[in-house]
Amino acid sequence: DSGVTQTPKHLITATGQRVTLRCSPRSGDLSVYWYQQSLDQGLQFLIQYYNGEERAKGNILERFSAQQFPDLHSELNLSSLELGDSALYFCASSPSLGTGGEKLFFGSGTQLSVL
Amino acid sequence: GQQVMQIPQYQHVQEGEDFTTYCNSSTTLSNIQWYKQRPGGHPVFLIQLVKSGEVKKQKRLTFQFGEAKKNSSLHITATQTTDVGTYFCAGVNNYGQNFVFGPGTRLSVLP
């Protein structure tokens, strides 16, 4: 158990809809990262939050947004969903900014299926 | 931006054979990390390499960091069925681009 909690585990929705994925980092970790993993694909970095502020941005679509709340949990909002958004979405956390040798602890992921 | 590549994409071996995956970064790295993702699971941290030319071993796994700190390799000796999974390298640099993952190498081990 990594200590990172993601909900829900599975999500099935239709095109055009909006969903929210939730992540609770390990106790004490200040950074939260979101990654997208499509079938047989690698881990595509979406966005990182550190202590409530956006720290780094990857290939995140404009239809996607995220935030980190004062209690450090994070939510990833996906809107106007398309079939191609179907993927496994991972959240990871690290103690601080992610530099200096920190490692990532991954949650079990949310499997999103857009029909 | 920084890019991290891995080869091969897939590798099928017979149990007992050796396996190697290679990781190359387009930029010099501060350090490199390796993660393993079992089928149906999530990535799990294996090791971190920091120094130029560093070699670390974990039982049957040997990790190397290149002299120029732009490439790395993971070698598994005498593979076992428990080694099945996808191995990712992740490059960490000092320019605001942390944890850029390579596409991974998926290892299958035939009993």
Side-chain angles (χ1 to χ4, degrees):
Chain A
D1 181 15
S2 66
V4 178
T5 304
Q6 285 189 251
T7 57
K9 291 193 183 302
H10 303 277
L11 201 48
I12 302 175
T13 188
T15 54
Q17 295 298 305
R18 172 189 169 94
V19 297
T20 297
L21 312 184
R22 182 187 168 101
C23 170
S24 293
R26 285 191 326 152
S27 178
D29 281 2
L30 298 178
S31 272
V32 169
Y33 309 76
W34 287 97
Y35 287 87
Q36 179 192 58
Q37 186 174 44
S38 301
L39 193 63
D40 287 344
Q41 296 295 311
L43 294 160
Q44 299 297 318
F45 171 65
L46 296 178
I47 199 163
Q48 175 195 0
Y49 276 82
Y50 169 74
N51 203 21
E53 299 290 327
E54 183 182 303
R55 160 77 176 166
K57 216 169 190 177
N59 297 323
I60 187 166
L61 300 173
E62 285 192 12
R63 300 184 286 108
F64 296 1
S65 65
Q67 53 184 329
Q68 187 179 26
F69 295 87
D71 68 351
L72 300 177
H73 91 270
S74 178
E75 293 181 355
L76 178 65
N77 300 296
L78 315 176
S79 62
S80 303
L81 285 168
E82 302 175 358
L83 296 178
D85 297 327
S86 296
L88 186 54
Y89 291 84
F90 283 110
C91 164
S93 73
S94 71
S96 186
L97 290 166
T99 56
E102 294 182 15
K103 59 186 179 183
L104 295 181
F105 295 87
F106 282 82
S108 298
T110 293
Q111 181 67 59
L112 173 66
S113 299
V114 182
L115 305 178
Chain B
Q2 177 189 357
Q3 294 187 345
V4 176
M5 302 305 298
Q6 276 185 261
I7 56 168
Q9 186 176 1
Y10 300 96
Q11 184 80 60
H12 304 277
V13 300
Q14 204 72 35
E15 189 173 21
E17 292 182 339
D18 291 356
F19 159 76
T20 304
T21 175
Y22 300 90
C23 176
N24 288 284
S25 170
S26 59
T27 60
T28 301
L29 300 171
S30 170
N31 58 70
I32 195 161
Q33 299 182 350
W34 286 89
Y35 291 77
K36 176 184 179 181
Q37 183 179 19
R38 294 181 185 275
H42 59 273
V44 175
F45 175 83
L46 291 178
I47 207 161
Q48 176 174 263
L49 304 170
V50 179
K51 299 177 183 176
S52 170
E54 188 171 16
V55 178
K56 285 188 175 181
K57 292 190 176 184
Q58 287 181 348
K59 298 182 180 178
R60 295 177 295 104
L61 278 62
T62 301
F63 303 84
Q64 292 188 319
F65 201 9
E67 294 291 339
K69 301 184 75 173
K70 294 181 73 173
N71 56 71
S72 181
S73 66
L74 158 59
H75 179 81
I76 302 178
T77 303
T79 55
Q80 300 176 358
T81 55
T82 53
D83 295 325
V84 165
T86 301
Y87 293 85
F88 294 98
C89 62
V92 182
N93 66 33
N94 293 325
Y95 300 104
Q97 292 177 307
N98 296 329
F99 304 109
V100 178
F101 280 80
T105 295
R106 176 177 286 187
L107 173 64
S108 298
V109 180
L110 305 175

